[in-house]
Amino acid sequence: QLQLVESGGGLVQPGGSLRLSCAASGFTWNYYAIGWFRQAPGKEREGVSCITSSGGSTIYADSVKGRLTISRDNAKNTVYLQMDNLTPEDTAVYYCAATRRLRCQIWNVPGNYDYWGQGTQVTVSS
């Protein structure tokens, strides 16, 4: 059964850090690019970052550049999202998603992804 499971969310103070994980099972992980999206209450789901199947290339939304880092460990079937210097505007449910594309073409369109996790809540508040 194809499955993506996110973990690592929680409550953090402004300026703090979190590391999200996305663990995959049931499919050939190495052939999928992986994206991270987030959705805040009342807002559309937006792309945060994407990493190619090999992990050799990454891309970020302008709003998170320099603060978030995506990486993957294909041996562990896991993708990570290191989030630093968090602000209240980062509060959202974070989702990982897998696309059969090897690279991050049109990476920030949710419809281009084939599999989704259930999401993990990130709350940035003092």
Side-chain angles (χ1 to χ4, degrees):
Q1 182 177 355
L2 304 172
Q3 193 172 18
L4 293 173
V5 179
E6 302 96 335
S7 62
L11 173 64
V12 63
Q13 292 186 341
S17 298
L18 284 174
R19 188 176 81 155
L20 306 184
S21 298
C22 172
S25 62
F27 61 101
T28 308
W29 176 253
N30 292 19
Y31 296 125
Y32 289 74
I34 304 298
W36 281 98
F37 287 76
R38 66 185 181 186
Q39 189 165 19
K43 294 187 177 181
E44 293 187 353
R45 192 167 297 190
E46 64 169 343
V48 173
S49 183
C50 181
I51 188 167
T52 57
S53 59
S54 67
S57 182
T58 59
I59 191 168
Y60 298 92
D62 288 342
S63 59
V64 304
K65 279 181 182 177
R67 301 188 299 115
L68 273 60
T69 304
I70 191 171
S71 62
R72 69 189 294 164
D73 184 340
N74 284 345
K76 295 182 178 180
N77 283 7
T78 302
V79 168
Y80 305 98
L81 187 67
Q82 177 67 40
M83 305 192 297
D84 299 314
N85 195 21
L86 288 164
T87 73
E89 288 69 37
D90 295 314
T91 295
V93 178
Y94 283 72
Y95 300 88
C96 65
T99 174
R100 292 188 183 93
R101 304 165 189 245
L102 299 179
R103 297 158 70 179
C104 296
Q105 303 104 314
I106 318 177
W107 67 276
N108 56 352
V109 176
N112 287 338
Y113 291 79
D114 303 293
Y115 307 109
W116 289 84
Q118 82 291 347
T120 185
Q121 176 71 46
V122 171
T123 302
V124 185
S125 175
S126 56

